[in-house]
Amino acid sequence: MEIKRVNDSFSVSGQLTLADLPALQTAGVKTLIGNRPDGEVAGQPAHAELAAAAAAHGMAVYYLPVVHDTINSVDVEQFAALLASSNGAVHAWCRSGLRSVTLWSLAQVKQGADPAALAAQASALGFDFTSFATRFAGVMAELRDVFATAPLRAHCPLLIVGGGAGGISVAASLLRRQPGLAITIVEPAEQHYYQPGFTMIGGGTFTDRQVVRPMASVIPKGVQWIKAAVVHFLPQRNQVVLTSGECLSYERLIVSAGLKLNWGAVEGLQETLGRNGVTSNYQPGLARYTWELVQGLRKGRAVFTQPPMPIKCAGAPQKALYLSGSHWLRSGCLGDIDIDFYNAGAVLFGVGAYVPALQRYIERYRANLHFGHNLVKVDGPNRLATFAYTDAAGAIARTEVRFDMLHVCPPQCAPDFLRNSPLADRAGWMDVDQHSLRHKRYANIWGLGDCTNTPNAKTAAAVRKQVPVVADNLSADLRQRTGSSRYDGYGSCPLTVEHGRIVLAEFLYGGKVAPTFPTWLLEGSRPSWLAWAMKCYLLPWVYWHLMLKGNETLTAPEA
Ligand code: FAD
């Protein structure tokens, strides 16, 4: 283990072992800080084991586990407090030392140090600090208390961040419970999309016009819309910071900010998206291109990809495959088209009950399944896709695949402004109780939709069930009561296995199958024309006319 000395009283390193303790004691170290979460890799010494052995060497050990991408001001404050309370040299460790030196640098920024000088110092020690200033700009501003002087634009008793499926629906549901409630929605977009319709555009069944409406037309009457984006959460002050630099203060906050489609995580993808046969139903406006490609392909190779979980609508990558296969089968050219599905996961679908039906369609379309393969690079002009996978020897290997058409489902993560905020968990998602949907640390904050860390399928169907839970529990809070509504993890995924039929997956937390309809009417694990009719006609109507208007038919939560 190499010790990197940052200054006379602070050093960092990669993973510590028991054998390293005597040398650290000799170097005068009195405090050890473990920034690597226990169990990150197999065989890693546990924190408790190191703490017990270090005590015998006269050193105190503190456990402050972080993930580099989600370091926030609370982590830095805790790290700074440990530095301040030590009566001797401090050594911190993680996997490589990067997390520890990042926390130390941010603690110095809090005391007025220059980020550029700190980045240069860390770079000289061999750490990649190239994006330090931009990556942690919001955290630094919060640490320096830059927002203390930010002008207050408005006080909003009830503030909702995000005007997507969750934000609009919960505002409408709250107004049904309490007409006249003062609600403000912060949302930067001019358009509101019905995203479940994107798959149907890619399959030639819907047009673009069916899935979009002006944002102004879906904001409930009486709700104030602030057309801006939030860049930072300040929950200790009950404020959010906007792109303009102004603040909004609130008494209660609901966050439904969706997730980030991380196109940039795949080398070369952004440059070629929408050209060279590269498409994605996940990008508004691009699903049309999917259908153009499907219609234009008469022979060659069509490649479909799925990134690591979590993603929104986990079935959408394979839905694109099935509808394409369905068209090629109907138009008689399937025999000349090779279909490949490269899936970073290990199974076709996370809930086993639906897999046999899906597998039959994989066979019908003669699609080749490649599990454990993650798209890392796209060379559009040369029509090459590169996948990383773990080979038989356990090493990461790469394989290059030629394509005529490539449908990409992008990697997905929590939005940046949430990931580095005190509202996030270690993985960057909003940290809420999975049943009450109330934030685990801030009692006046609730979250719903794709941005939270609840372990359900990220779908509009899940949002539909979450909305009454948040509305009930927040309404109870307004009356100084504790709400008792609970979200059971319901999510649904209508898998469009062919034009005219759907396998309707419906399940709760833990993958427990939970059909809405009696099986004589609709057996979810069997391809059904009724489910297709619902997807085409009923569900969009339910979305626009019931869900976004606060009508909660069939969504009453458990108490
Ligand atoms: P969104 O509806 O994405 O809304 C988030 C909102 O937050 C957006 O309006 C955004 O502009 C706003 N926002 C972002 N950043 C900020 C900021 N900084 N400040 C303020 N506001 C911000 N679900 C199903 O149930 N069935 C399906 O068949 C289905 N198919 C799908 C197919 C595809 C291709 C896709 C992409 C999604 C599909 N979904 C499906 C998933 C479903 O659309 C989402 O789960 C749902 O829209 C999540 O709602 P949300 O409110 O959490 O996020």
Side-chain angles (χ1 to χ4, degrees):
M1 191 252 332
E2 184 194 1
I3 294 181
K4 295 188 175 180
R5 213 162 283 289
V6 179
N7 61 28
D8 287 348
S9 59
F10 183 69
S11 58
V12 297
S13 70
Q15 179 63 53
L16 278 194
T17 64
L18 299 184
D20 300 316
L21 297 176
L24 289 166
Q25 183 186 20
T26 309
V29 170
K30 292 279 181 227
T31 302
L32 292 169
I33 308 176
N35 298 130
R36 188 180 201 189
D38 267 349
E40 211 173 53
V41 291
Q44 177 187 328
H47 165 75
E49 188 190 353
L50 281 164
H57 290 277
M59 292 183 279
V61 185
Y62 296 95
Y63 185 48
L64 182 55
V66 294
V67 174
H68 185 257
D69 263 5
T70 62
I71 288 173
N72 63 42
S73 58
V74 178
D75 301 324
V76 179
E77 301 278 8
Q78 288 174 0
F79 192 85
L82 291 176
L83 291 177
S85 63
S86 175
N87 58 356
V90 178
H91 179 85
W93 85 92
C94 54
R95 188 187 66 80
S96 65
L98 177 65
R99 282 170 260 190
S100 302
V101 80
T102 301
L103 283 166
W104 180 84
S105 301
L106 289 169
Q108 309 314 301
V109 169
K110 181 176 155 64
Q111 289 172 1
D114 173 18
L118 291 162
Q121 188 181 4
S123 300
L125 288 168
F127 293 105
D128 181 4
F129 256 56
T130 39
S131 58
F132 175 67
T134 45
R135 188 83 203 73
F136 297 106
V139 180
M140 289 187 206
E142 197 184 334
L143 290 166
R144 290 205 206 99
D145 216 7
V146 165
F147 302 124
T149 53
L152 185 67
R153 174 157 165 184
H155 176 70
C156 314
L158 174 43
L159 181 64
I160 299 176
V161 176
I168 299 293
S169 308
V170 80
S173 274
L174 281 161
L175 284 174
R176 286 231 176 188
R177 282 169 179 73
Q178 211 169 313
L181 195 63
I183 301 178
T184 306
I185 294 182
V186 195
E187 164 61 62
E190 287 280 1
Q191 312 281 14
H192 180 104
Y193 289 99
Y194 173 60
Q195 298 173 40
F198 292 177
T199 301
M200 304 304 268
I201 300 173
T205 302
F206 282 12
T207 60
D208 282 6
R209 286 184 49 204
Q210 284 171 271
V211 302
V212 62
R213 297 209 176 161
M215 188 62 74
S217 73
V218 297
I219 303 251
K221 262 207 189 82
V223 169
Q224 183 194 20
W225 174 23
I226 295 185
K227 195 175 164 306
V230 169
V231 288
H232 214 74
F233 292 103
L234 301 171
Q236 302 89 336
R237 284 201 209 148
N238 294 328
Q239 287 183 345
V240 299
V241 185
L242 305 178
T243 20
S244 60
E246 298 164 305
C247 285
L248 297 175
S249 60
Y250 58 81
E251 280 148 39
R252 289 174 184 79
L253 175 71
I254 300 175
V255 182
S256 188
L259 51 67
K260 172 178 164 177
L261 299 174
N262 201 1
W263 304 102
V266 178
E267 187 185 339
L269 176 57
Q270 255 160 336
E271 297 87 305
T272 194
L273 202 55
R275 293 185 295 137
N276 302 313
V278 183
T279 188
S280 178
N281 289 348
Y282 277 78
Q283 173 91 322
L286 218 64
R288 203 180 338 130
Y289 183 52
T290 304
W291 184 233
E292 278 170 35
L293 291 174
V294 171
Q295 287 176 297
L297 193 71
R298 311 289 303 173
K299 61 176 183 179
R301 168 169 284 138
V303 172
F304 297 82
T305 74
Q306 181 171 313
M309 292 291 151
I311 61 172
K312 57 178 155 182
C313 192
Q318 58 189 291
K319 290 189 213 176
L321 183 158
Y322 299 134
L323 289 182
S324 305
S326 167
H327 174 76
W328 293 323
L329 183 65
R330 289 193 312 185
S331 55
C333 52
L334 186 64
D336 295 320
I337 297 174
D338 291 323
I339 303 179
D340 287 280
F341 186 32
Y342 285 88
N343 182 341
V347 290
L348 190 54
F349 195 71
V351 182
Y354 303 101
V355 172
L358 301 175
Q359 188 67 40
R360 280 195 282 279
Y361 278 92
I362 291 288
E363 280 152 28
R364 177 186 289 194
Y365 303 131
R366 298 203 320 279
N368 306 303
L369 297 180
H370 310 267
F371 292 117
H373 282 68
N374 191 23
L375 180 71
V376 290
K377 185 177 171 189
V378 179
D379 175 352
N382 290 310
R383 304 218 168 201
L384 288 173
T386 306
F387 295 89
Y389 68 100
T390 307
D391 67 16
I396 302 289
R398 286 185 170 214
T399 181
E400 241 179 28
V401 179
R402 233 202 69 78
F403 63 82
D404 295 288
M405 168 186 164
L406 175 67
H407 179 274
V408 178
C409 171
Q412 298 170 34
C413 58
D416 294 336
F417 74 107
L418 174 61
R419 224 172 42 211
N420 290 127
S421 82
L423 301 191
D425 70 2
R426 251 192 241 146
W429 302 100
M430 185 167 172
D431 200 9
V432 299
D433 177 89
Q434 68 175 52
H435 295 297
S436 70
L437 304 178
R438 195 172 203 164
H439 197 275
K440 286 187 188 154
R441 297 180 295 282
Y442 301 100
N444 61 340
I445 302 181
W446 286 261
L448 76 160
D450 295 348
C451 67
T452 72
N453 62 357
T454 52
N456 57 279
K458 293 188 184 296
T459 57
V463 171
R464 193 155 170 263
K465 291 278 194 167
Q466 293 172 348
V467 164
V469 174
V470 173
D472 270 357
N473 290 343
L474 195 145
S475 298
D477 193 60
L478 285 168
R479 298 191 309 271
Q480 318 295 333
R481 303 228 176 95
T482 302
S484 60
S485 283
R486 289 164 60 85
Y487 170 56
D488 58 9
Y490 177 87
S492 139
C493 188
L495 291 133
T496 50
V497 284
E498 62 175 295
H499 287 92
R501 282 188 198 277
I502 273 178
V503 167
L504 181 60
E506 295 182 280
F507 43 89
L508 311 178
Y509 282 139
K512 184 165 174 256
V513 172
T516 302
F517 304 99
T519 44
W520 59 264
L521 184 63
L522 205 165
E523 163 62 81
S525 62
R526 275 202 225 122
S528 147
W529 63 266
L530 183 61
W532 174 270
M534 275 170 38
K535 170 86 180 165
C536 288
Y537 306 108
L538 184 65
L539 293 180
W541 185 85
V542 165
Y543 184 82
W544 296 116
H545 298 287
L546 298 186
M547 183 170 157
L548 296 191
K549 307 270 191 241
N551 182 312
E552 298 172 3
T553 305
L554 290 179
T555 59
E558 281 178 29

